[in-house]
Amino acid sequence: MSQADGVGQAATGERSTGELVEQVAEQVSMLVRDELQLARLEVTRKGKQAGTGIGMIGGGGLVAAYGVGCLIACAIIGISHVLAAWLAALIVGAALLAIAGLAAMAGRGRLRTATPPVPSEAVDSVKADIEEVREKVRR
């Protein structure tokens, strides 16, 4: 009789509860591995892009610093024809400090609004997977 049950079960495609639980465990394990792989790849890609961008900004900043130094010297020399050299340097220095303060405050505001570098695609995918599982369980 058990042979007939086994043949009938195989013919209809029905699986035992143990087989179904085993299949769910395998699929959940595979899903978690795939989502972790996606998150790792996404963070790696974003990290490489950020590193390249930071390097380019640093190089541009260094060249800009030399250019600004030349312009500052030019401004001081130009003003020194009208005022004493020390007063020209004081005026230019105070103006530069004011500009630096404004830039720092603007940068601080931008940092507050920046979002952390989270692997958003992977998070969205996991949320969709969880919702899909919840829907299947409800049925």
Side-chain angles (χ1 to χ4, degrees):
M1 187 164 185
S2 64
Q3 287 179 340
D5 289 340
V7 172
Q9 185 179 9
T12 61
E14 294 179 17
R15 296 184 183 155
S16 70
T17 303
E19 291 172 333
L20 291 174
V21 168
E22 182 181 338
Q23 182 182 4
V24 166
E26 289 174 7
Q27 288 178 350
V28 167
S29 175
M30 186 182 311
L31 179 64
V32 169
R33 272 188 260 123
D34 290 346
E35 294 299 341
L36 289 174
Q37 177 76 7
L38 175 63
R40 185 172 54 86
L41 290 173
E42 188 176 351
V43 169
T44 301
R45 185 182 73 231
K46 287 182 178 183
K48 286 180 181 178
Q49 289 176 347
T52 302
I54 288 170
M56 294 172 91
I57 289 171
L62 180 64
V63 172
Y66 286 119
V68 169
C70 289
L71 293 176
I72 291 169
C74 179
I76 292 171
I77 292 169
I79 295 173
S80 71
H81 290 315
V82 178
L83 302 172
W86 68 268
L87 188 56
L90 179 67
I91 291 169
V92 172
L96 289 173
L97 287 176
I99 292 169
L102 291 173
M105 289 190 322
R108 182 176 168 209
R110 288 284 177 114
L111 281 176
R112 286 185 177 169
T113 60
T115 57
V118 175
S120 56
E121 293 175 19
V123 169
D124 292 342
S125 178
V126 169
K127 287 179 182 178
D129 293 341
I130 290 171
E131 188 59 34
E132 182 74 24
V133 169
R134 284 183 182 163
E135 288 180 20
K136 297 293 182 183
V137 169
R138 289 181 192 147
R139 292 182 188 173

